[in-house]
Amino acid sequence: MRQDPLGYLATELQALHDQGLYRRLRVLDDEQKARTSIDGRSVVNLSSNNYLGLTTHPRLRERALAAVEAFGVGSGSVRTIAGTMRIHIELERKLAAFKKTEAAVVFQSGFAANAGTVSSILGRDAVIVSDELNHASIIDGARLSRATIKVFPHRDVAAARRIVSELPRGTRTLIITDGVFSMDGDLGAVPALCDLADEFGCIMMVDDAHASGVFGRQGRGTVDHFDMHGRVDVQVGTLSKAIGALGGYVAGSRALIEFLYHRARPFLFSTSHPPAVAATCLAAIEVLEEEPQLIERLWDNTRFFRAGLQELGFNTGSSESPITPVIVGEGARAMALSDRLFEKGVFAQGIGFPTVPQGKARVRTIVTATHSREDLQFALDAFSAVGSELGVI
Ligand SMILES: Cc1ncc(COP(=O)(O)O)c(C=O)c1O
């Protein structure tokens, strides 16, 4: 009988079970919204990146359906062969105008935008200076580039400066940070890193995946929030979170974008978005421009919920965004907190190593513009009860 050459995977999975870290995928039975049904249970959803509720916005639905009627369901090719539809170009123009850059290119996901960009604009001779908590897609792009990777402690600009100042003069260097860190909700040191990049002639890149639609005027991101226009060479955003659909983009100079058209491997070797996705994203940017009350509500809800968690005595780290971690330490404890909350009708995902460092496991919460005060109070009551029961507070 043939021995299973993948048998070691079952052993590793068993180890996850033994450590209480095995995660079964939760299944959404309904739409992605603030109160929804997951695994057959009605819950307040504190785990989605649907910051503004756009996944179910009527204008986005209509435009997606109209695009299906007008253009079909698929693009049929990669962008560089037959898969560039007029609507893809319209979206890129709209994004460039929104981000106040010369041009923009859309990728299939934020992950593809980061990994495809970092790996194509840098090579073996370059150095990448990266915050230790940057997103996995940046790390993968850096590895693929074969450049030397130098990691600085989280938000430690003095350490980044030491790294940059010790490089031989003329070394092609990229400084890169997330705008909002996805597991802690704090902001990247964007202004100070821009100063560093200016001083040493480095390329400056910001991944604004969690900042787009949340920070800055009409949700233009941290580059706008910190008024760093013209000082960030490569701005990445995602269309999969606040924008409510799917995709990622890079905004920057015309030369950067044309280069990515020619060299970014996800752009060259993976089929472009269905037209309905592009149409949805176009409608989403119109909504950002026309419905500022959504972002105001998001921030009202964020302040209310975070203050509530803090009053209850939870450790919410140093978040400055709608992402509020409830840090509990051990992975198994975070998973137990998440599971008990779920039983009480609140979905807040437990997150452990390796997504966050050992000993910093947490339940991560994200509020949205569409949570009602009753939803948030319901969630706080559940946190209070379960937190006491498990000895977290
Ligand atoms: C900071 C950051 N960058 C990039 C991404 C990837 O975005 P997408 O989900 O669009 O692939 C994510 C999402 O998980 C993220 O949190």
Side-chain angles (χ1 to χ4, degrees):
M1 203 175 72
R2 184 171 180 261
Q3 236 191 347
D4 180 5
L6 290 175
Y8 65 96
L9 300 183
T11 312
E12 293 197 12
L13 283 171
Q14 188 54 50
L16 291 180
H17 275 292
D18 296 345
Q19 295 157 32
L21 297 177
Y22 179 84
R23 297 314 289 164
R24 204 173 48 75
L25 297 180
R26 296 252 185 233
V27 178
L28 196 56
D29 312 303
D30 192 355
E31 295 179 338
Q32 179 61 263
K33 55 188 181 185
R35 191 176 264 279
T36 190
S37 173
I38 296 177
D39 286 344
R41 186 184 292 268
S42 167
V43 290
V44 172
N45 182 2
L46 292 178
S47 288
S48 115
N49 300 314
N50 182 26
Y51 291 104
L52 302 174
L54 298 195
T55 57
T56 53
H57 192 288
R59 189 192 303 200
L60 275 65
R61 274 189 215 266
E62 271 166 31
R63 295 279 280 281
L65 291 169
V68 170
E69 289 292 346
F71 306 116
V73 296
S75 76
S77 171
V78 299
R79 288 284 303 273
T80 47
I81 301 184
T84 294
M85 301 175 97
R86 192 166 303 285
I87 202 161
H88 294 132
I89 298 292
E90 259 178 67
L91 177 59
E92 289 179 342
R93 290 209 178 114
K94 184 96 184 162
L95 285 167
F98 186 67
K99 288 283 178 169
K100 300 187 184 302
T101 58
E102 279 177 14
V105 50
V106 170
F107 287 83
Q108 299 82 356
S109 67
F111 197 108
N114 270 331
T117 300
V118 174
S119 60
S120 63
I121 63 172
L122 298 161
R124 237 181 249 287
D125 54 339
V127 175
I128 297 172
V129 181
S130 178
D131 188 291
E132 68 177 330
L133 295 188
N134 277 344
H135 190 256
S137 52
I138 293 174
I139 297 168
D140 285 9
R143 289 178 181 155
L144 280 169
S145 74
R146 300 200 178 93
T148 302
I149 302 166
K150 304 250 183 203
V151 173
F152 61 89
H154 185 45
R155 303 204 319 171
D156 186 342
V157 179
R161 191 170 206 290
R162 274 194 298 280
I163 294 170
V164 173
S165 63
E166 283 166 12
L167 296 173
R169 226 171 226 289
T171 305
R172 182 171 297 158
T173 305
L174 172 78
I175 300 176
I176 183 161
T177 182
D178 283 2
V180 173
F181 288 88
S182 57
M183 293 300 139
D184 291 87
D186 53 349
L187 297 185
V190 176
L193 291 175
C194 283
D195 290 346
L196 184 62
D198 285 351
E199 186 182 341
F200 289 90
C202 306
I203 306 160
M204 182 67 205
M205 177 164 171
V206 174
D207 170 11
D208 254 349
H210 280 278
S212 304
V214 176
F215 280 91
R217 282 164 298 162
Q218 296 162 312
R220 287 182 164 79
T222 59
V223 175
D224 188 81
H225 172 76
F226 288 120
D227 201 10
M228 291 291 120
H229 290 290
R231 299 184 62 194
V232 175
D233 305 289
V234 188
Q235 290 187 54
V236 168
T238 170
L239 303 163
S240 330
K241 302 187 193 298
I243 300 300
L246 175 71
Y249 58 92
V250 176
S253 67
R254 164 84 35 214
L256 169 69
I257 302 314
E258 299 244 330
F259 181 86
L260 294 174
Y261 275 2
H262 288 84
R263 286 286 179 272
R265 291 168 72 82
F267 187 86
L268 294 167
F269 297 112
S270 184
T271 297
S272 55
H273 277 154
V277 171
T280 307
C281 296
L282 273 163
I285 296 166
E286 291 168 17
V287 170
L288 289 183
E289 288 170 339
E290 292 168 27
E291 298 184 34
Q293 66 275 17
L294 287 176
I295 297 181
E296 284 158 25
R297 238 183 279 143
L298 170 66
W299 282 101
D300 274 354
N301 280 347
T302 297
R303 283 186 284 271
F304 174 79
F305 189 65
R306 183 150 54 229
L309 285 173
Q310 287 168 350
E311 272 164 34
L312 289 171
F314 286 103
N315 172 6
T316 59
S318 51
S319 173
E320 300 163 80
S321 73
I323 300 171
T324 304
V326 174
I327 301 169
V328 300
E330 290 315 307
R333 203 161 186 232
M335 300 313 162
L337 178 59
S338 173
D339 287 344
R340 285 290 293 130
L341 284 168
F342 190 76
E343 284 159 20
K344 288 200 168 290
V346 174
F347 178 41
Q349 186 70 53
I351 295 172
F353 182 78
T355 310
V356 294
Q358 290 279 19
K360 293 262 177 87
R362 65 203 56 195
V363 163
R364 186 177 71 148
T365 68
I366 301 182
V367 300
T368 69
T370 47
H371 283 98
S372 66
R373 275 296 141 96
E374 293 71 43
D375 292 334
L376 296 178
Q377 191 55 57
F378 178 87
L380 287 171
D381 292 344
F383 264 98
S384 172
V386 175
S388 309
E389 176 190 311
L390 298 179
V392 177
I393 48 172

